[in-house]
Amino acid sequence: MNARTAGADNGIAFRPSGTALWTAVGLVVVSVAIGLVLLLIQVALHPPASDLTTLAMFLAISGGSTMLLVAGFRRFQFLGRLPSLRARLLSVSVLTTSLALINVGFTAFLMFISGHDLALLAGLLAFSLGISVLAASAITEPVVRSLRTLGAAVAEISAGDLKTRVPVESVDEVGHLASLINTMAAQLEASSDKEKELIQSRRELVSAVSHDLRTPLASIRVMLESLVDGVVDDQQTADRYLRNTLSEVEYLGRLVDDLFEIARLDAGLLQLHIEDASVQDLISDTLKSMLAQARPGLAWAEDVNLEGWVQGEISPLVMDMPRVQRVLYNLVQNSIRHTPRDGSIFISASDTGDEVELVVSDTGDGVPEQDKGRLFDRVYRTDPFRSRSSGGAGLGLSIAKGIVEAHGGRIWFESVVGEGSRFSFTIPKKLAAYSEPLPL
């Protein structure tokens, strides 16, 4: 079995190389051109048969030699050994012009013109060769200059200057290449800015979490040392210390869970446990769970009215019920923290066609303009001095965003300072599979 048969058996069609294919096509074109030229000369000049035969032989030799010469150049990359693109273009210009002049000169010789006329024709041909070289040199100058500009721009980009852009001065391949380089530079700059933001976000995360870990650990240590050293001698104080210690441990547990959730979202490893779930039950369970936080008795959320409803009939959704529940918890807790006494929080759901939109709106303080762009960033707090008892580690909205996007939905907010905020997110009715890491 030969190589061609083996290739066919494996479903791979045999294809000639680019040079061989180009040579075959070139020879066909030359043959057709020779036939047309001979036909035209026969019709117009009626030359003797011997002259027509000589001309045919010369054209065949000239055309065939030209194709073989070009094939050799393509196969062995002779032009690629020249030091510059201008030298290559000039070489091509000289080669093609010389071949054309040789053909014209031989044709004139066949016409049996006088020696004087032949010398004049040779001079004109030499002059034409010089002019063609000069014209080729002038024409290639902008191309070479543009390529040098592109090379300098690429060098600057590779050195780290991602703001470099190349002027697009033409609509040819060089101009297209300049546009591609500009697009590449813009994408690299955007990626670099995103990486810098991610690094800064991680630094803020480490700093904030370190603080939120240090405070409860210090509190636990003080209370346990007081109990161990016998500083606390009455049972009532000891019980209070133990309850406070348990509360701090529970807070640490929630913080660690949030960090694990953030890590899974960043790595794109969040696994959704999909099931049919009722939107009505989702809102009802949220109201029951959040009602205690909205009742009087908390220094930071007193007399907050909490209500919810579903607009129309909504069929069960395919979703990860506990995680979508967590999104609602985080949004409602955020609203409670920023809604003053006698304020109201409303949870609603409505069918918008291909999605179900859930909304948490409040009559709270609203989001300041300078904070709107970073509200979903990790560990970002609109009040940097807010205590953890009223604010947590600042991961809630970031986690909510990641969970919603893992379901293929969207999350956004609208807010007016002094009037309140409206947080909305959607869950598609047909859940799509997402395997890429989720941006936070």
mmCIF file of all heavy atoms in Angstrom, residues 359-390:
data_model
loop_
_atom_site.group_PDB
_atom_site.id
_atom_site.type_symbol
_atom_site.label_atom_id
_atom_site.label_comp_id
_atom_site.label_asym_id
_atom_site.label_seq_id
_atom_site.Cartn_x
_atom_site.Cartn_y
_atom_site.Cartn_z
ATOM 1 N N VAL A 359 -37.122 41.029 42.338
ATOM 2 C CA VAL A 359 -36.732 42.391 42.707
ATOM 3 C C VAL A 359 -36.812 42.545 44.215
ATOM 4 O O VAL A 359 -37.772 42.097 44.852
ATOM 5 C CB VAL A 359 -37.649 43.435 42.026
ATOM 6 C CG1 VAL A 359 -37.243 44.847 42.444
ATOM 7 C CG2 VAL A 359 -37.597 43.296 40.511
ATOM 8 N N VAL A 360 -35.763 43.175 44.775
ATOM 9 C CA VAL A 360 -35.761 43.574 46.187
ATOM 10 C C VAL A 360 -35.593 45.088 46.206
ATOM 11 O O VAL A 360 -34.541 45.608 45.829
ATOM 12 C CB VAL A 360 -34.624 42.894 46.974
ATOM 13 C CG1 VAL A 360 -34.591 43.413 48.409
ATOM 14 C CG2 VAL A 360 -34.790 41.383 46.957
ATOM 15 N N SER A 361 -36.651 45.787 46.595
ATOM 16 C CA SER A 361 -36.609 47.247 46.636
ATOM 17 C C SER A 361 -36.815 47.727 48.065
ATOM 18 O O SER A 361 -37.471 47.048 48.872
ATOM 19 C CB SER A 361 -37.682 47.846 45.716
ATOM 20 O OG SER A 361 -38.971 47.383 46.066
ATOM 21 N N ASP A 362 -36.266 48.880 48.375
ATOM 22 C CA ASP A 362 -36.369 49.419 49.725
ATOM 23 C C ASP A 362 -36.530 50.928 49.681
ATOM 24 O O ASP A 362 -36.356 51.563 48.639
ATOM 25 C CB ASP A 362 -35.153 49.019 50.572
ATOM 26 C CG ASP A 362 -33.846 49.544 50.013
ATOM 27 O OD1 ASP A 362 -33.717 50.771 49.849
ATOM 28 O OD2 ASP A 362 -32.942 48.738 49.728
ATOM 29 N N THR A 363 -36.856 51.482 50.830
ATOM 30 C CA THR A 363 -36.987 52.936 50.982
ATOM 31 C C THR A 363 -35.841 53.456 51.837
ATOM 32 O O THR A 363 -36.029 54.340 52.671
ATOM 33 C CB THR A 363 -38.334 53.288 51.626
ATOM 34 O OG1 THR A 363 -38.429 52.643 52.906
ATOM 35 C CG2 THR A 363 -39.493 52.823 50.753
ATOM 36 N N GLY A 364 -34.659 52.888 51.600
ATOM 37 C CA GLY A 364 -33.511 53.200 52.438
ATOM 38 C C GLY A 364 -32.730 54.420 52.004
ATOM 39 O O GLY A 364 -33.247 55.326 51.321
ATOM 40 N N ASP A 365 -31.464 54.396 52.371
ATOM 41 C CA ASP A 365 -30.601 55.558 52.146
ATOM 42 C C ASP A 365 -30.199 55.736 50.685
ATOM 43 O O ASP A 365 -29.831 56.836 50.264
ATOM 44 C CB ASP A 365 -29.324 55.429 52.993
ATOM 45 C CG ASP A 365 -29.639 55.282 54.475
ATOM 46 O OD1 ASP A 365 -30.668 55.845 54.901
ATOM 47 O OD2 ASP A 365 -28.869 54.607 55.184
ATOM 48 N N GLY A 366 -30.231 54.667 49.922
ATOM 49 C CA GLY A 366 -29.741 54.747 48.555
ATOM 50 C C GLY A 366 -28.233 54.584 48.492
ATOM 51 O O GLY A 366 -27.539 54.594 49.516
ATOM 52 N N VAL A 367 -27.713 54.417 47.293
ATOM 53 C CA VAL A 367 -26.284 54.200 47.084
ATOM 54 C C VAL A 367 -25.662 55.493 46.559
ATOM 55 O O VAL A 367 -26.114 56.020 45.535
ATOM 56 C CB VAL A 367 -26.031 53.050 46.088
ATOM 57 C CG1 VAL A 367 -24.540 52.832 45.891
ATOM 58 C CG2 VAL A 367 -26.699 51.774 46.569
ATOM 59 N N PRO A 368 -24.647 56.028 47.227
ATOM 60 C CA PRO A 368 -23.975 57.229 46.721
ATOM 61 C C PRO A 368 -23.402 57.003 45.326
ATOM 62 O O PRO A 368 -23.034 55.887 44.963
ATOM 63 C CB PRO A 368 -22.862 57.470 47.749
ATOM 64 C CG PRO A 368 -23.317 56.764 48.984
ATOM 65 C CD PRO A 368 -24.093 55.575 48.511
ATOM 66 N N GLU A 369 -23.319 58.057 44.552
ATOM 67 C CA GLU A 369 -22.870 57.963 43.168
ATOM 68 C C GLU A 369 -21.475 57.365 43.063
ATOM 69 O O GLU A 369 -21.197 56.571 42.153
ATOM 70 C CB GLU A 369 -22.900 59.354 42.521
ATOM 71 C CG GLU A 369 -22.756 59.338 41.018
ATOM 72 C CD GLU A 369 -23.946 58.686 40.331
ATOM 73 O OE1 GLU A 369 -25.074 58.786 40.860
ATOM 74 O OE2 GLU A 369 -23.738 58.074 39.261
ATOM 75 N N GLN A 370 -20.585 57.725 43.981
ATOM 76 C CA GLN A 370 -19.201 57.254 43.903
ATOM 77 C C GLN A 370 -19.070 55.769 44.219
ATOM 78 O O GLN A 370 -18.029 55.157 43.961
ATOM 79 C CB GLN A 370 -18.294 58.060 44.851
ATOM 80 C CG GLN A 370 -18.580 57.858 46.326
ATOM 81 C CD GLN A 370 -19.617 58.838 46.856
ATOM 82 O OE1 GLN A 370 -20.325 59.471 46.063
ATOM 83 N NE2 GLN A 370 -19.682 59.002 48.165
ATOM 84 N N ASP A 371 -20.129 55.169 44.788
ATOM 85 C CA ASP A 371 -20.064 53.755 45.167
ATOM 86 C C ASP A 371 -20.741 52.838 44.156
ATOM 87 O O ASP A 371 -20.606 51.612 44.250
ATOM 88 C CB ASP A 371 -20.705 53.539 46.537
ATOM 89 C CG ASP A 371 -19.959 54.256 47.644
ATOM 90 O OD1 ASP A 371 -18.720 54.314 47.561
ATOM 91 O OD2 ASP A 371 -20.597 54.758 48.578
ATOM 92 N N LYS A 372 -21.469 53.398 43.192
ATOM 93 C CA LYS A 372 -22.282 52.556 42.309
ATOM 94 C C LYS A 372 -21.435 51.639 41.429
ATOM 95 O O LYS A 372 -21.832 50.518 41.136
ATOM 96 C CB LYS A 372 -23.172 53.445 41.435
ATOM 97 C CG LYS A 372 -24.299 54.110 42.215
ATOM 98 C CD LYS A 372 -25.214 54.909 41.299
ATOM 99 C CE LYS A 372 -26.370 55.509 42.089
ATOM 100 N NZ LYS A 372 -27.281 56.297 41.233
ATOM 101 N N GLY A 373 -20.279 52.106 41.008
ATOM 102 C CA GLY A 373 -19.461 51.295 40.108
ATOM 103 C C GLY A 373 -18.797 50.106 40.770
ATOM 104 O O GLY A 373 -18.359 49.183 40.092
ATOM 105 N N ARG A 374 -18.713 50.099 42.108
ATOM 106 C CA ARG A 374 -17.980 49.033 42.795
ATOM 107 C C ARG A 374 -18.857 48.249 43.772
ATOM 108 O O ARG A 374 -18.348 47.501 44.595
ATOM 109 C CB ARG A 374 -16.803 49.627 43.566
ATOM 110 C CG ARG A 374 -15.756 50.299 42.711
ATOM 111 C CD ARG A 374 -14.493 50.539 43.510
ATOM 112 N NE ARG A 374 -13.949 49.290 44.030
ATOM 113 C CZ ARG A 374 -13.034 49.210 44.979
ATOM 114 N NH1 ARG A 374 -12.565 50.312 45.536
ATOM 115 N NH2 ARG A 374 -12.575 48.043 45.395
ATOM 116 N N LEU A 375 -20.160 48.419 43.668
ATOM 117 C CA LEU A 375 -21.042 47.828 44.675
ATOM 118 C C LEU A 375 -20.957 46.306 44.693
ATOM 119 O O LEU A 375 -21.108 45.677 45.746
ATOM 120 C CB LEU A 375 -22.479 48.268 44.423
ATOM 121 C CG LEU A 375 -23.436 48.125 45.614
ATOM 122 C CD1 LEU A 375 -22.945 48.964 46.787
ATOM 123 C CD2 LEU A 375 -24.848 48.528 45.220
ATOM 124 N N PHE A 376 -20.710 45.682 43.523
ATOM 125 C CA PHE A 376 -20.634 44.224 43.468
ATOM 126 C C PHE A 376 -19.207 43.706 43.607
ATOM 127 O O PHE A 376 -18.971 42.515 43.462
ATOM 128 C CB PHE A 376 -21.246 43.713 42.163
ATOM 129 C CG PHE A 376 -22.736 43.843 42.099
ATOM 130 C CD1 PHE A 376 -23.326 44.835 41.333
ATOM 131 C CD2 PHE A 376 -23.554 42.984 42.813
ATOM 132 C CE1 PHE A 376 -24.700 44.965 41.267
ATOM 133 C CE2 PHE A 376 -24.929 43.098 42.761
ATOM 134 C CZ PHE A 376 -25.506 44.091 41.988
ATOM 135 N N ASP A 377 -18.255 44.615 43.866
ATOM 136 C CA ASP A 377 -16.877 44.176 44.077
ATOM 137 C C ASP A 377 -16.751 43.436 45.403
ATOM 138 O O ASP A 377 -17.506 43.686 46.354
ATOM 139 C CB ASP A 377 -15.912 45.365 44.075
ATOM 140 C CG ASP A 377 -15.751 45.954 42.689
ATOM 141 O OD1 ASP A 377 -16.360 45.413 41.745
ATOM 142 O OD2 ASP A 377 -15.031 46.960 42.558
ATOM 143 N N ARG A 378 -15.756 42.559 45.448
ATOM 144 C CA ARG A 378 -15.516 41.821 46.687
ATOM 145 C C ARG A 378 -15.081 42.764 47.812
ATOM 146 O O ARG A 378 -14.306 43.681 47.592
ATOM 147 C CB ARG A 378 -14.425 40.773 46.473
ATOM 148 C CG ARG A 378 -14.873 39.616 45.629
ATOM 149 C CD ARG A 378 -13.716 38.681 45.418
ATOM 150 N NE ARG A 378 -13.335 38.687 44.014
ATOM 151 C CZ ARG A 378 -12.312 38.023 43.532
ATOM 152 N NH1 ARG A 378 -11.553 37.334 44.323
ATOM 153 N NH2 ARG A 378 -12.033 38.068 42.259
ATOM 154 N N VAL A 379 -15.581 42.483 48.985
ATOM 155 C CA VAL A 379 -15.258 43.179 50.244
ATOM 156 C C VAL A 379 -15.399 44.691 50.127
ATOM 157 O O VAL A 379 -14.787 45.430 50.895
ATOM 158 C CB VAL A 379 -13.834 42.836 50.767
ATOM 159 C CG1 VAL A 379 -13.696 41.366 50.985
ATOM 160 C CG2 VAL A 379 -12.736 43.332 49.829
ATOM 161 N N TYR A 380 -16.207 45.177 49.168
ATOM 162 C CA TYR A 380 -16.401 46.619 49.082
ATOM 163 C C TYR A 380 -17.564 47.016 49.972
ATOM 164 O O TYR A 380 -18.654 46.456 49.885
ATOM 165 C CB TYR A 380 -16.679 47.045 47.645
ATOM 166 C CG TYR A 380 -16.760 48.543 47.501
ATOM 167 C CD1 TYR A 380 -15.613 49.324 47.569
ATOM 168 C CD2 TYR A 380 -17.979 49.177 47.313
ATOM 169 C CE1 TYR A 380 -15.672 50.692 47.453
ATOM 170 C CE2 TYR A 380 -18.052 50.549 47.192
ATOM 171 C CZ TYR A 380 -16.896 51.301 47.270
ATOM 172 O OH TYR A 380 -16.971 52.665 47.158
ATOM 173 N N ARG A 381 -17.347 48.000 50.803
ATOM 174 C CA ARG A 381 -18.379 48.490 51.695
ATOM 175 C C ARG A 381 -18.599 49.969 51.444
ATOM 176 O O ARG A 381 -17.642 50.741 51.341
ATOM 177 C CB ARG A 381 -17.967 48.291 53.160
ATOM 178 C CG ARG A 381 -17.833 46.824 53.552
ATOM 179 C CD ARG A 381 -17.123 46.711 54.870
ATOM 180 N NE ARG A 381 -17.107 45.343 55.376
ATOM 181 C CZ ARG A 381 -16.389 44.945 56.417
ATOM 182 N NH1 ARG A 381 -15.610 45.806 57.044
ATOM 183 N NH2 ARG A 381 -16.442 43.701 56.834
ATOM 184 N N THR A 382 -19.865 50.365 51.330
ATOM 185 C CA THR A 382 -20.135 51.783 51.137
ATOM 186 C C THR A 382 -19.722 52.584 52.362
ATOM 187 O O THR A 382 -19.414 53.763 52.264
ATOM 188 C CB THR A 382 -21.630 52.003 50.870
ATOM 189 O OG1 THR A 382 -22.392 51.426 51.936
ATOM 190 C CG2 THR A 382 -22.038 51.334 49.552
ATOM 191 N N ASP A 383 -19.698 51.944 53.534
ATOM 192 C CA ASP A 383 -19.209 52.590 54.753
ATOM 193 C C ASP A 383 -17.998 51.812 55.234
ATOM 194 O O ASP A 383 -18.130 50.744 55.825
ATOM 195 C CB ASP A 383 -20.296 52.609 55.831
ATOM 196 C CG ASP A 383 -19.815 53.256 57.128
ATOM 197 O OD1 ASP A 383 -18.695 53.797 57.126
ATOM 198 O OD2 ASP A 383 -20.558 53.222 58.121
ATOM 199 N N PRO A 384 -16.768 52.282 54.989
ATOM 200 C CA PRO A 384 -15.576 51.520 55.356
ATOM 201 C C PRO A 384 -15.419 51.338 56.855
ATOM 202 O O PRO A 384 -14.666 50.481 57.295
ATOM 203 C CB PRO A 384 -14.430 52.353 54.778
ATOM 204 C CG PRO A 384 -14.978 53.732 54.660
ATOM 205 C CD PRO A 384 -16.427 53.572 54.373
ATOM 206 N N PHE A 385 -16.136 52.117 57.656
ATOM 207 C CA PHE A 385 -16.001 52.018 59.113
ATOM 208 C C PHE A 385 -17.140 51.211 59.733
ATOM 209 O O PHE A 385 -17.278 51.175 60.949
ATOM 210 C CB PHE A 385 -15.979 53.434 59.721
ATOM 211 C CG PHE A 385 -14.860 54.276 59.196
ATOM 212 C CD1 PHE A 385 -15.111 55.284 58.277
ATOM 213 C CD2 PHE A 385 -13.551 54.050 59.582
ATOM 214 C CE1 PHE A 385 -14.076 56.055 57.774
ATOM 215 C CE2 PHE A 385 -12.506 54.827 59.077
ATOM 216 C CZ PHE A 385 -12.786 55.827 58.175
ATOM 217 N N ARG A 386 -17.960 50.580 58.877
ATOM 218 C CA ARG A 386 -19.079 49.819 59.403
ATOM 219 C C ARG A 386 -18.572 48.590 60.136
ATOM 220 O O ARG A 386 -17.663 47.901 59.672
ATOM 221 C CB ARG A 386 -19.974 49.391 58.220
ATOM 222 C CG ARG A 386 -21.307 48.816 58.645
ATOM 223 C CD ARG A 386 -22.130 48.487 57.401
ATOM 224 N NE ARG A 386 -21.535 47.412 56.654
ATOM 225 C CZ ARG A 386 -21.548 47.347 55.349
ATOM 226 N NH1 ARG A 386 -22.062 48.308 54.648
ATOM 227 N NH2 ARG A 386 -20.996 46.312 54.727
ATOM 228 N N SER A 387 -19.154 48.302 61.244
ATOM 229 C CA SER A 387 -18.728 47.141 62.030
ATOM 230 C C SER A 387 -19.218 45.865 61.390
ATOM 231 O O SER A 387 -20.189 45.850 60.645
ATOM 232 C CB SER A 387 -19.280 47.248 63.465
ATOM 233 O OG SER A 387 -20.693 47.149 63.459
ATOM 234 N N ARG A 388 -18.569 44.780 61.722
ATOM 235 C CA ARG A 388 -18.962 43.501 61.125
ATOM 236 C C ARG A 388 -20.316 43.049 61.627
ATOM 237 O O ARG A 388 -21.005 42.267 60.986
ATOM 238 C CB ARG A 388 -17.900 42.437 61.434
ATOM 239 C CG ARG A 388 -17.775 42.099 62.905
ATOM 240 C CD ARG A 388 -16.658 41.084 63.145
ATOM 241 N NE ARG A 388 -16.475 40.824 64.554
ATOM 242 C CZ ARG A 388 -17.174 39.953 65.248
ATOM 243 N NH1 ARG A 388 -18.129 39.289 64.643
ATOM 244 N NH2 ARG A 388 -16.942 39.750 66.518
ATOM 245 N N SER A 389 -20.740 43.529 62.774
ATOM 246 C CA SER A 389 -22.049 43.140 63.284
ATOM 247 C C SER A 389 -23.165 43.660 62.400
ATOM 248 O O SER A 389 -24.253 43.106 62.344
ATOM 249 C CB SER A 389 -22.235 43.665 64.715
ATOM 250 O OG SER A 389 -22.192 45.084 64.713
ATOM 251 N N SER A 390 -22.903 44.726 61.668
ATOM 252 C CA SER A 390 -23.914 45.285 60.783
ATOM 253 C C SER A 390 -23.565 45.137 59.316
ATOM 254 O O SER A 390 -24.357 45.496 58.464
ATOM 255 C CB SER A 390 -24.098 46.781 61.083
ATOM 256 O OG SER A 390 -22.894 47.470 60.834
#
